Amino acid sequence: MPNARTLPDLSTLLRLVRGREPAADTPHWAIIDLHGSYPTHHAHDLLESLLERTESFQSLTERLEQLARLDDVTGVLVRVVNLTAGLATCAAIGRALGRLQAKTRVVVYLPQVSMRSLLVAAGVREVVAPESAEVMLPGLAAERVYYGEFLTRRGIGVENLRIREYKTALTRFSDDHMDEHEREQLSTYLASAERSWLAAVARDAGAAGDVLDARFTSAAQLLAAGLITRIAYDDEIAVPVDQDWSRSLELVRSQFARKRQAKKQDGIAVVPVVGAIVSGRSRPTPPVPLLAGPTAGSETVVAALRKAERDEHVKAVVLYVDSGGGSALASDVIGRAVARSTKPVVAVMGEVAASGGYYVLVQARHVVASAFTITGSIGVVVGKPVLRDLNARIGRNPEAVGREAALFGSANTPFSDADRAWAERMMEEVYARFVTRVADGRGLSRERVDELGRGRIWSGADALERGLVDELGDLHAGIVAARRLAGLPDDAPVRSVSTGFALPGVPSFGRDPVGALVGAAWPFGEERVLTWYDPVVTIR
């Protein structure tokens, strides 16, 4: 049985020790363990990257590219356990393994056979599962929890103004059930995602329609259905040996050397827009727990785009968007920077590029989406919590003087009729601007955009059919398109754009004054108008 080395990522490198060498005539295998969520990018800071517990999709693909360049690696065993990445990320990992397979033998080992793990294995010729594999292929479903009644019983109301009927960003807080429009758009998305999944994983096209209804329970049934190619345990493919410290350092040194060299060559810059879109600077975590994960600040993203614009070695930009949107203002500011770029901008969608996440990229030269991406949601929402009844229950008595209109954002009072009329006019203006941006960027009529909009989400596959995107693929496909538009060779380097960081209290400088709205209690500062799709929908 051939020996193998487990290829380390940066998070485990510091724990490695020198290992024994296999016999000279023993084939060398590398072992990669896939687990966790694989967020898109690491922090730019090297020390943070070394200490991060979760490997990013970016670092994973870099490791796979390293493996493809190693002459002494004759096989790669990919073990997939406890994978929690989204469907779009799993499909992208599968395509990356398919590219590696063109250079060396790849075997995917699935002790847990799930919708996600089979998607990872879809492009690989050899897929192995043990006899005792856990099999769970139930299809896809979406689940959203509604808090309207729960909050109302506690004296908390939620104002929810929206354009239009499919715009459900705040309904889980304002309502106690799923309305017909939400049910329709989620059902349509799931049907599209299942079709894309079946097209990817079914090795026997004739049996594809029966896969999700079969409720498989064993590896033997998977083998008979053609979903795997062999029943075996991982140690029948490759036996791990101790890690070779010197070899690991050699791999890391070569990676850093290539990155240093790439800075001196013409290539592609990747600018990420990950998390809720807000005014000001990006943050690793939001100021309050309403939104999970990082925020994408318009100031930070625009600065990165301008830095790429100034860099003479950057010939095109890939804007990677994984966001449900956010502030209408911030989304428009980023979208304007994309539209004004003198260098080609290719947009790539991650798991979600909806509402403001679609707004920022719609004027790119070329738009790439995964078949599983949630996109669209062209619409607007305004809302706030209302604590009036809770205040009465607990004896809290806020009082105010001055103009009633100035209390529009106050959580202590609901919208007045005048507030509501003003907000609806403002929302119509934002929606009209959003529709115009899409129409101009996609070459569609405003009437057609309104028909596709109305707050409705689409899968990436459905968006392609309707002209909202140009191509199905992932970050790799976006990079290929950017090289083509820039007239660069296929091996032109790719690098992320870092805008550095700001020290507290230290001013920044520029040719024109820049202001940012900051709010301590609301993730979007004082901005109440949102082009936001609430991504808190559990896809199972």
Side-chain angles (χ1 to χ4, degrees), residues 106-454:
V106 176
V107 180
V108 175
Y109 177 71
L110 303 180
Q112 297 169 332
V113 182
S114 67
M115 302 291 289
R116 288 174 169 82
S117 66
L118 272 184
L119 198 55
V120 165
V124 177
R125 288 186 292 271
E126 295 183 72
V127 181
V128 179
E131 182 183 9
S132 56
E134 296 178 355
V135 181
M136 187 69 174
L137 298 175
L140 300 175
E143 185 176 53
R144 188 194 285 271
V145 178
Y146 290 82
Y147 297 95
E149 183 176 354
F150 174 85
L151 294 173
T152 299
R153 288 182 178 180
R154 285 151 182 81
I156 302 173
V158 175
E159 292 280 11
N160 180 13
L161 307 180
R162 55 181 179 165
I163 295 179
R164 285 189 165 74
E165 64 270 24
Y166 292 98
K167 194 67 178 177
T168 58
L170 295 179
T171 54
R172 66 186 175 111
F173 302 110
S174 63
D175 295 6
D176 60 5
H177 66 280
M178 183 180 293
D179 64 33
E180 60 178 312
H181 303 294
E182 175 76 334
R183 191 174 301 278
E184 176 193 353
Q185 66 177 345
L186 287 178
S187 297
T188 301
Y189 168 80
L190 292 170
S192 174
E194 284 192 357
R195 288 194 300 271
S196 297
W197 185 89
L198 286 167
V201 308
R203 296 166 188 270
D204 179 358
D210 301 327
V211 168
L212 296 179
D213 295 326
R215 302 302 299 268
F216 296 123
T217 57
S218 69
Q221 293 169 338
L222 297 175
L223 181 63
L227 294 175
I228 64 174
T229 59
R230 181 181 170 192
I231 296 176
Y233 289 86
D234 57 344
D235 60 5
E236 298 179 79
I237 303 166
V239 179
V241 298
D242 293 337
Q243 182 60 51
D244 184 349
W245 169 259
S246 61
R247 183 64 166 142
S248 300
L249 288 179
E250 177 187 338
L251 291 172
V252 173
R253 280 198 304 268
S254 64
Q255 179 181 349
F256 289 161
R258 281 191 298 274
K259 288 185 176 181
R260 285 195 300 270
Q261 182 64 27
K263 293 181 179 180
K264 304 174 184 178
Q265 300 173 339
D266 290 347
I268 305 300
V270 177
V271 175
V273 181
V274 177
I277 298 170
V278 299
S279 288
R281 293 191 175 98
S282 300
R283 301 186 181 108
T285 56
V288 294
L290 176 61
L291 298 176
T295 61
S298 58
E299 184 179 324
T300 301
V301 176
V302 171
L305 289 169
R306 289 173 178 165
K307 184 175 182 179
E309 186 92 3
R310 294 191 302 269
D311 190 334
E312 63 179 1
H313 292 299
V314 171
K315 302 304 180 182
V317 175
V318 171
L319 187 77
Y320 182 87
V321 181
D322 197 345
S323 172
S327 159
L329 168 61
S331 300
D332 189 62
V333 168
I334 296 173
R336 180 177 181 272
V338 170
R340 289 169 62 87
S341 174
T342 60
K343 298 177 180 180
V345 177
V346 174
V348 178
M349 300 183 183
E351 298 293 337
V352 180
S355 203
Y358 186 65
Y359 197 134
V360 300
L361 62 76
V362 72
Q363 296 188 82
R365 286 272 297 276
H366 190 77
V367 180
V368 180
S370 167
F372 303 99
T373 297
I374 295 175
T375 188
S377 192
I378 301 166
V380 187
V381 64
V382 170
K384 66 174 182 177
V386 180
L387 307 181
R388 181 181 57 184
D389 293 345
L390 176 64
N391 290 336
R393 290 183 188 181
I394 65 177
R396 182 173 178 267
N397 185 32
E399 294 194 16
V401 295
R403 291 182 181 272
E404 182 182 63
L407 299 175
F408 176 82
S410 171
N412 295 310
T413 58
F415 290 146
S416 66
D417 290 342
D419 288 339
R420 191 175 297 272
W422 176 78
E424 288 174 349
R425 291 199 308 272
M426 180 171 54
M427 291 165 64
E428 287 288 354
E429 291 176 2
V430 174
Y431 181 68
R433 187 179 305 117
F434 195 168
V435 167
T436 297
R437 299 288 191 266
V438 176
D440 292 345
R442 300 304 307 165
L444 301 170
S445 69
R446 289 172 177 78
E447 293 75 18
R448 177 57 174 162
V449 175
D450 179 54
E451 181 183 343
L452 297 173
R454 312 186 71 82

